Every structure is written in C-alpha cells, then in structure tokens.
Amino acid sequence: MTRLSFRQKVLASREEAIVSTVMRLLAEKGFDQMTVDEVAADVGIAKASLYKHFASKEALAAAAMVQALGLALDQVQAQQAVAGASAMDRLQAITRWTLQTQLAGAMPTLPAENSALRNALIAHRGYMDRLMTLSDDLGAWIVQAQADGAIDRNLPPEAVLFTVYARACDPVLGFLKAGGRYSDEQIVDWVMSSCFNGLAARP
Amino acid sequence: MTRLSFRQKVLASREEAIVSTVMRLLAEKGFDQMTVDEVAADVGIAKASLYKHFASKEALAAAAMVQALGLALDQVQAQQAVAGASAMDRLQAITRWTLQTQLAGAMPTLPAENSALRNALIAHRGYMDRLMTLSDDLGAWIVQAQADGAIDRNLPPEAVLFTVYARACDPVLGFLKAGGRYSDEQIVDWVMSSCFNGLAARP
DNA sequence: GTCTATAAGAGGATAGAC
DNA sequence: GTCTATCCTCTTATAGAC
C-alpha cells in the first residue's frame, strides 16, 4: 500500500514535470514549433514513455493549457478574497498577473489558428470547463465595473473580455523586452496603461 | 522585343498571383500551417515551377511580407497627402486601415516566434528597408502627436509604435467576428476605441 | 519555365523486449 | 512504464524530360 502510493506519487510528479516542461516550451515556441522529441529530451525520458502518459501531442498541450487556466483561476480566487477591492481593481490585478506571467515565459500562447489543436481543446472537458468558469468570473467583474462607471459602457462586455484575454499573447511585451533597455516591471506598467488608459492622452 | 516584353509581363503577373495567394494564405493560416503544395495548387501551377520563381518557402513568405509592407507604405503616403490632418489623425487612420485589412483576411501575421522565417526576413534587404521606412514614418507621427499632447507622453514612442504594430495581429478581431453578431465596421470601431481610448471609462 | 516523379528528412506515433 | 528501434505520413526541395 505504502509502496503503491509511493509509486503513484512518483508517477504523478513525473506527469507534473512533463506538464511544466510543455507549458514552458509552449510559451517559448508555440505549439507548432514545439516537438515531442524536444519535450521528451527536456523531461529526460524516452518519447515512447511520454505517450504512455499522454495520447498525443494535442493531449500534451491540452494538459498544459488546463494547468495554465488553473493558475489563472487561482488568481481569480485570490482577488475575490481581497476585501474592499472594486471589480475594476480585480480586473486590473488579473491582467497584470497575465502580463507578468507571459513576460516570465510561463504563459502558453493561445492557438487561434491551428485547427487540430483547437478541436482537441474544444473536445477537452477539463479545458472547456475551466475556460468557461474563468470567462464567467471575469465577465461578472466586467459587468460590475461597467455598472460602477469604471469601464467604458460603450464596449460590449464580450469585447472587454477578449481584449483582456488577448493581452496574454500580446507581442508588445516581447518587442519591448527584446530591446533590453527596460525592466520587466516598467514594461508591464506601460502595457497596463495602454490597455486601460489607451494610447491617447487623458485630459 | 514586343514578344519578349509580353512574356515578361506574363511572368511578372504570375509572380504577382503567387504573392497574392501567399499573402492570403499567410493571413489565413500562418507560416507554419501554410504548405507549399497548397500554394502551388491555389495558384494552379506545379510546385517545381514555384521554386523557379522563389528559392524557398521563406522567400515566398518574404515576398508576401514585402508586398504587405508596400501596401502599408502606400497608406502612409495617402495620409501624408491629406491636408489639415494632425499626426494623431494620421496615426488613427493607418491603425484603422490595419484592422480593416486584417479583418478582410489580407494581413499576413507577423512571426515573432519562428526563427527560420525571422532570420530570412532579417536577411531580406527589401523587407528590412520597408520595415524601417515604415517605422520611421510612424515614429515621426507618434513623436509629433505626443508634442501635440494627443498621445500619452508617459509612453515611450517605441511602445506606442509596437502597440500599433501589434494591432495588425490582434486576435480580438477574430474572436468578435467568430461570434458572428457584429459587423466588421462595428468590430473595428470597438478595437480602435479600446486601443486609443482604453478600456477604462473617460470622464 | 513547366511538368511528373522522387529524393531527403523531420516529426508524430507505435512495436515489442524488459 | 520505460526503453530502443522502427514505421509512416507529411512537407520541403530537386532531378530530369520536354
């Protein structure tokens, strides 16, 4: 019993290691550029062993996306727990976390293009459940922030939600970081400002 | 002489047809998902014939990007010619054109990730020349708009430039279009507003 | 320059021993 | 479950006839 449990833990932690590697590689190169050989080499096991844990490359990516969504949901929970924060405060906090995570190279890029991956994700219950939960939570904040007059009421909540999601794969962060002249914190501040305050000067 | 010229025109127009097809496919699926077989089939010639015109898949993509940058530079020229327009007006006009072009499926996506393509583009003189010219032109508008007090002076011009470039591959347009409930014009208006005015309500 | 046919190789997935 | 070795498909690129 103890031995079995121990073995299970070893296996579980190995799967965690796999998912972590996949998440990093997805953030680094995207789904197409990431090869299964590379994942296996990085984790330090044979490729065939990978396929004992995950049925396909798409399943591998889906597991990483589920993990990423789980982290986002944790952040939402953390923000819900902050007393006295407005909906706008919470929305900005989660957006900031998203930018920081992307800049740290730990945010797998969303695949708007690839159909094989898209279909796999749509068919993945855990992924879709988390995505919908996250969208519902953020959607509620957005509606509330609009009621508060903090978010532009002319924008449909949908558009605001997509805009926040899109920041998770905004190439501006990478462009500014590539220059090497600014700190991560400075970059995040600028993107936060352009996202919420806009490029145009405020009176 | 006449016959030679005619043949040259036929060849040139064939190359134009190739480049147009590549530009459309790049916008549709991205560099990785686009196959050379597909390009050849779409143009209606054999794949080997494609390689008589362009040395590699990267060269094919580079030609399409050069064409796209050329169209953008044409837009810049057109805006320069508008009398009485402020730098901010011009910046918004070119941004709007970028969004409309992407929504029309005619804007090849910039490849921040793929290294093979990146290197090919960086090594491509025509591409780099156009990119730098465009950046210089837009950069001048941005600096002027900041001097006018129209663009937020706290943002470095670089960040504003990258933000405008990033709109060319903003997934928000596709998300909103996928819903099918809004007109292209409406979608462009919302993204323009969130880009320049920000998500936060203006007083 | 255009075609058909094919080389060359990358990458996802599996067989079978242990 | 892990390994080595292999299969097989897809895709880039070229050979060689016309």
Side-chain angles (χ1 to χ4, degrees):
Chain A
M1 185 66 176
T2 302
R3 186 153 164 247
L4 189 64
S5 173
F6 175 72
R7 286 182 59 186
Q8 285 177 335
K9 278 182 189 168
V10 168
L11 287 181
S13 77
R14 170 145 297 177
E15 291 205 354
E16 278 174 29
I18 294 171
V19 172
S20 292
T21 297
V22 171
M23 202 159 57
R24 184 170 47 76
L25 288 176
L26 275 184
E28 219 171 88
K29 339 178 63 174
F31 182 74
D32 291 329
Q33 298 290 315
M34 179 186 80
T35 70
V36 177
D37 292 82
E38 197 177 8
V39 174
D42 256 49
V43 176
I45 63 176
K47 181 163 56 167
S49 303
L50 261 191
Y51 279 96
K52 295 289 181 179
H53 291 280
F54 299 93
S56 66
K57 186 186 178 185
E58 281 76 20
L60 219 45
M65 294 303 299
V66 164
Q67 172 120 325
L69 284 177
L71 292 177
L73 287 170
D74 289 346
Q75 286 296 316
V76 169
Q77 293 288 347
Q79 284 307 313
Q80 300 276 28
V82 175
S86 69
M88 181 61 150
D89 291 336
R90 293 182 171 134
L91 203 56
Q92 289 185 319
I94 195 95
T95 303
R96 181 176 290 274
W97 171 81
T98 299
L99 297 178
Q100 289 166 338
T101 304
Q102 196 217 139
L103 211 41
M107 180 66 76
T109 63
L110 305 185
E113 353 161 1
N114 188 306
S115 60
L117 180 54
R118 257 194 91 75
N119 294 338
L121 288 177
I122 288 174
H124 194 293
R125 181 166 299 278
Y127 174 81
M128 286 305 287
D129 280 354
R130 282 174 175 77
L131 181 59
M132 284 194 275
T133 302
L134 182 62
S135 295
D136 285 347
D137 290 349
L138 296 184
W141 288 353
I142 290 166
V143 169
Q144 180 62 50
Q146 285 183 316
D148 295 343
I151 290 272
D152 188 347
R153 289 198 179 93
N154 294 317
L155 297 171
E158 217 180 341
V160 178
L161 178 65
F162 293 158
T163 300
V164 170
Y165 278 164
R167 284 329 98 196
C169 58
D170 196 321
V172 171
L173 294 162
F175 290 157
L176 286 171
K177 193 183 179 76
R181 289 201 300 282
Y182 311 117
S183 71
D184 284 10
E185 202 177 345
Q186 179 66 81
I187 293 172
V188 169
D189 282 345
W190 284 330
V191 174
M192 280 292 291
S193 174
S194 72
C195 179
F196 284 94
N197 296 327
L199 296 177
R202 297 231 164 194
Chain B
M1 187 64 175
T2 301
R3 184 152 165 248
L4 189 63
S5 173
F6 174 73
R7 286 183 59 188
Q8 285 177 336
K9 277 182 192 171
V10 169
L11 286 181
S13 78
R14 169 145 296 177
E15 291 206 354
E16 277 174 32
I18 294 171
V19 171
S20 291
T21 296
V22 171
M23 202 158 58
R24 184 171 46 78
L25 288 175
L26 275 183
E28 220 171 87
K29 339 178 64 174
F31 182 74
D32 292 329
Q33 299 289 316
M34 179 187 80
T35 69
V36 177
D37 291 82
E38 199 176 7
V39 175
D42 257 49
V43 176
I45 62 176
K47 182 163 56 169
S49 303
L50 262 191
Y51 279 97
K52 295 288 181 179
H53 291 279
F54 299 93
S56 66
K57 186 185 177 185
E58 281 76 20
L60 219 45
M65 295 302 301
V66 164
Q67 173 120 324
L69 284 177
L71 293 177
L73 287 169
D74 289 346
Q75 287 296 318
V76 169
Q77 294 288 346
Q79 284 307 315
Q80 300 276 26
V82 175
S86 68
M88 182 62 150
D89 291 336
R90 292 181 171 136
L91 203 55
Q92 289 186 318
I94 195 95
T95 303
R96 180 177 291 274
W97 171 81
T98 299
L99 297 178
Q100 289 167 337
T101 304
Q102 195 216 138
L103 211 42
M107 180 66 76
T109 64
L110 305 185
E113 352 160 2
N114 189 306
S115 60
L117 180 54
R118 257 194 90 76
N119 295 338
L121 289 177
I122 289 174
H124 194 291
R125 181 165 300 278
Y127 174 81
M128 286 306 287
D129 281 353
R130 282 175 176 76
L131 181 59
M132 283 194 275
T133 302
L134 182 62
S135 296
D136 285 346
D137 290 349
L138 297 184
W141 287 355
I142 291 166
V143 169
Q144 181 61 51
Q146 285 183 316
D148 295 343
I151 291 271
D152 188 346
R153 290 197 178 94
N154 294 317
L155 297 170
E158 218 180 339
V160 178
L161 178 66
F162 292 157
T163 300
V164 170
Y165 278 164
R167 285 328 98 197
C169 57
D170 197 323
V172 171
L173 295 162
F175 290 157
L176 286 171
K177 193 182 180 78
R181 288 201 300 282
Y182 311 116
S183 69
D184 283 10
E185 202 177 345
Q186 179 65 83
I187 293 172
V188 168
D189 281 344
W190 283 331
V191 174
M192 280 293 290
S193 174
S194 73
C195 180
F196 284 93
N197 297 326
L199 296 178
R202 298 232 163 194

